[in-house]
Amino acid sequence: MRLLFEISKEGHGCDLLPAPDVPEVELPARERRRRPPALPQLSEVELSRHYTRLMKRTFGVNSGFYPLGSCTMKYNPRINEEMASLPGFTDIHPLQPEHTVQGCMEVFSDAEKALCEITGMDAITFQPAAGAHGEFAGVLLIKAWHASRGDTKRTKIIIPDAAHGTNPASATMAGFTVVNIPSNTEGCVDVEKLREAAGDDTAGLMLTNPNTLGLFDRNILEITKIVHDAGGLNYYDGANLNAIMGIVRPGDMGFDVVHLNIHKTFSTPHGGGGPGSGPTGCKAFLSGFLPVYRIVENEGRYGFSNPDSTIGSVKAFYGHFLVVVRALTYIKTLGAEGIRRAAIHAVLNANYMRKKLSEYYDPAYEGLCMHEFVLTLQKVKEKTGVTALDVVKTLLENGIHPPTMYFPLIVREALMIEPTETESKETIDEAIGVFRKIYDMIRTNPEQLHEMPLTTPVRRPDEVGAARHPRLTFPEEQPS
Ligand SMILES: *Cc1c(COP(=O)(O)O)cnc(C)c1O
């Protein structure tokens, strides 16, 4: 497909800028470009067709089944977008006086109340821009709390190996040493190993629950108690809350800090880099450390207040406000019962699909899963040479977005599948049919899977090359 710069024809430009409504001023010569910027010149219809072509080549939740484990690519109701485009929410400035943005502050306040109720926390900041960012803020809260007590020997954060990869990264960035503990044979935290690891140098535990295998840890209360008894705090990675929302709460499981990915669970479109929102919640005893711009209500009026011992700012102003508008819309349209039903359907859909697929493929772990499950294609690979990569390329050929693959790292040839709560039984059955068809292909003619996909716009890109040597500008575009 040709780029805008390649379609460009001298003189095809369209004037999209309005005439200036202020006097024109000549810039001094030294401030001016030596030659005009190398912008593509296209008519409006050429531009429109270009983006429509791109759109048709893009796979999204609105084009088909997208079972990308851990990422919760579910359908995001249109009403969220309608609310997020209301001028009262979009035509504002972060430095406007408080009395002119009371409605927006009410949105933050209501969203905080709702998410506190759902998580069992006492306070939430919306500043973090994504899940990993929320983890970072949350780990800083833990650090600030120990420091405030003069407890300087707590330099370690314990992280089970079935945690999301961002957990050790966030703990390290916050200046902690990560202590990794292995999972037991059921794929959950090895409680004895945790007991050995916990001590007076433990700042806390970071736990992803359900973990990246899609399993809810049965020993969760014992786990959080071990860490508390050792003087540490418990951090809950709540990025995938669609498995438990309205059913159980991290705050009731013994967790002190939690982050959510509202761009996953609370229904904001994501992928392609944002904008997201990773609010961090905490129990009351930590709320004095939260980032700045807390919103307080006083007799129906909203105002800002800065916590006494704040860790400072982790992002400019208040975070991604419109993502919070979408989340609040989602929560209010579903209501308490709807939130609960969404969780039940997320778990039901995943277990239905896991059970059906386990007739053809090996689950990485036995037993019920939560909102997602992991298959291992290790035996398939040994027997037939067909890899998880070959299978997902064949899924693409069949109009299904690949599941997350080669993750979690503790499973070989992993496929991590999350159908999500918004898919119907018919869609899931169709997908199961495709997986079954692929299974038959593996048995009868495994070689053909190495050739897949055949008809997609791009077949097998050089992924390592793309990551290591990205070409981000059109070669002929010259800086002036
Ligand atoms: C997605 C995810 C994260 C990271 O969230 P980002 O918004 O991508 O930074 C962290 N933990 C878990 C379990 C996740 O699924």
Side-chain angles (χ1 to χ4, degrees):
M1 192 175 146
R2 291 195 302 159
L3 303 177
L4 283 178
F5 293 96
E6 294 166 303
I7 313 168
S8 171
K9 269 254 160 51
E10 188 71 33
H12 274 210
C14 50
D15 286 327
L16 293 175
L17 295 177
D21 57 359
V22 290
E24 282 187 52
V25 183
E26 277 286 297
L27 280 179
R30 68 186 157 82
E31 306 286 358
R32 268 182 265 151
R33 290 169 170 276
R34 269 169 280 124
R35 50 171 183 264
L39 296 175
Q41 301 190 37
L42 301 147
S43 67
E44 189 174 322
V45 61
E46 286 166 331
L47 192 63
S48 168
R49 284 187 186 144
H50 176 78
Y51 283 109
T52 306
R53 272 195 293 270
L54 272 181
M55 188 189 80
K56 284 186 179 163
R57 291 173 145 226
T58 307
F59 193 98
V61 173
N62 295 308
S63 12
F65 190 45
Y66 203 139
L68 191 64
S70 189
C71 296
T72 311
M73 301 301 284
K74 67 185 183 186
Y75 177 73
N76 303 296
R78 281 295 158 268
I79 187 174
N80 298 354
E81 298 306 312
E82 251 172 74
M83 294 304 118
S85 56
L86 292 176
F89 291 142
T90 57
D91 294 356
I92 50 167
H93 190 280
L95 291 176
Q96 256 175 256
E98 286 170 18
H99 73 272
T100 64
V101 285
Q102 287 290 307
C104 298
M105 294 172 84
E106 188 176 351
V107 166
F108 274 125
S109 176
D110 284 0
E112 179 174 359
K113 278 185 212 134
L115 292 176
C116 278
E117 178 63 36
I118 290 170
T119 54
M121 294 290 130
D122 299 314
I124 286 178
T125 172
F126 289 97
Q127 248 197 358
H133 198 190
E135 290 169 28
F136 178 64
V139 176
L140 287 183
L141 295 182
I142 293 177
K143 190 173 184 171
W145 184 71
H146 288 306
S148 75
R149 296 155 42 97
D151 196 348
T152 50
K153 62 190 177 308
R154 297 191 180 270
T155 55
K156 295 185 177 157
I157 296 263
I158 302 172
I159 304 184
D161 62 2
H164 194 266
T166 49
N167 293 183
S170 304
T172 305
M173 274 189 66
F176 287 107
T177 307
V178 172
V179 179
N180 209 298
I181 54 168
S183 303
N184 60 20
T185 48
E186 279 120 52
C188 291
V189 172
D190 187 326
V191 175
E192 286 320 309
K193 291 269 164 37
L194 173 64
R195 224 184 285 281
E196 284 163 27
D200 58 9
D201 59 355
T202 302
L205 166 83
M206 286 182 94
L207 195 77
T208 305
N209 188 39
N211 64 24
T212 56
L213 299 163
L215 305 173
F216 189 95
D217 207 305
R218 286 165 187 274
N219 301 318
I220 196 71
L221 293 176
E222 193 181 349
I223 290 167
T224 53
K225 183 165 186 310
I226 291 172
V227 176
H228 276 162
D229 287 350
L233 298 183
N234 290 301
Y235 183 97
Y236 188 97
D237 180 333
N240 301 307
L241 212 72
N242 58 336
I244 64 153
M245 58 185 184
I247 315 261
V248 282
R249 312 192 309 169
D252 301 333
M253 297 178 215
F255 287 90
D256 309 292
V257 189
V258 54
H259 89 266
L260 306 174
N261 274 38
I262 60 182
H263 49 284
K264 290 177 182 168
T265 312
F266 295 96
S267 145
T268 279
H270 66 288
S277 174
T280 304
C282 64
K283 292 279 190 173
F285 74 96
L286 290 170
S287 63
F289 301 103
L290 281 171
V292 292
Y293 299 119
R294 304 278 311 127
I295 287 172
V296 288
E297 188 191 340
N298 191 358
E299 292 176 357
R301 304 294 299 171
Y302 296 91
F304 291 114
S305 92
N306 291 341
D308 299 338
S309 324
T310 177
I311 57 167
S313 220
V314 295
K315 178 148 186 3
F317 299 110
Y318 323 104
H320 288 150
F321 173 58
L322 294 175
V323 180
V324 180
V325 172
R326 290 179 177 94
L328 184 63
T329 307
Y330 178 74
I331 292 169
K332 284 195 179 290
T333 44
L334 260 68
E337 188 48 35
I339 292 275
R340 189 183 152 77
R341 284 174 61 85
I344 290 171
H345 279 124
V347 174
L348 178 63
N349 282 357
N351 278 291
Y352 176 71
M353 196 165 173
R354 178 187 60 81
K355 183 87 185 139
K356 292 274 182 182
L357 287 189
S358 60
E359 290 172 32
Y360 315 107
Y361 303 92
D362 295 331
Y365 290 87
E366 291 303 326
L368 288 177
C369 64
M370 298 300 288
H371 62 299
E372 64 195 4
F373 58 96
V374 180
L375 301 176
T376 169
L377 271 65
Q378 181 61 19
K379 284 205 195 115
V380 172
K381 182 179 168 188
E382 283 163 15
K383 273 196 227 138
T384 66
V386 169
T387 62
L389 182 75
D390 294 328
V391 169
V392 305
K393 295 294 180 190
T394 315
L395 284 173
L396 269 173
E397 182 62 22
N398 286 275
I400 291 180
H401 192 284
T404 298
M405 50 192 259
Y406 299 114
F407 184 80
L409 301 175
I410 52 178
V411 177
R412 299 172 79 186
E413 294 298 315
L415 288 184
M416 182 191 209
I417 301 173
E418 176 180 4
T420 83
E421 63 270 27
T422 55
E423 297 301 335
S424 65
K425 177 168 181 295
E426 288 71 22
T427 304
I428 296 175
D429 281 336
E430 255 173 58
I432 292 166
V434 171
F435 271 95
R436 193 192 155 147
K437 182 172 120 187
I438 296 174
Y439 174 77
D440 289 337
M441 287 166 73
I442 295 173
R443 281 194 317 169
T444 53
N445 182 2
E447 291 306 313
Q448 62 178 321
L449 275 93
H450 302 313
E451 302 303 318
M452 295 290 168
L454 300 174
T455 59
T456 52
V458 178
R459 292 186 57 196
R460 293 212 179 192
D462 172 2
E463 281 153 11
V464 175
R468 297 277 156 81
H469 309 288
R471 277 169 47 197
L472 301 175
T473 54
F474 183 59
E476 282 151 45
E477 191 195 359
Q478 302 291 335
S480 56

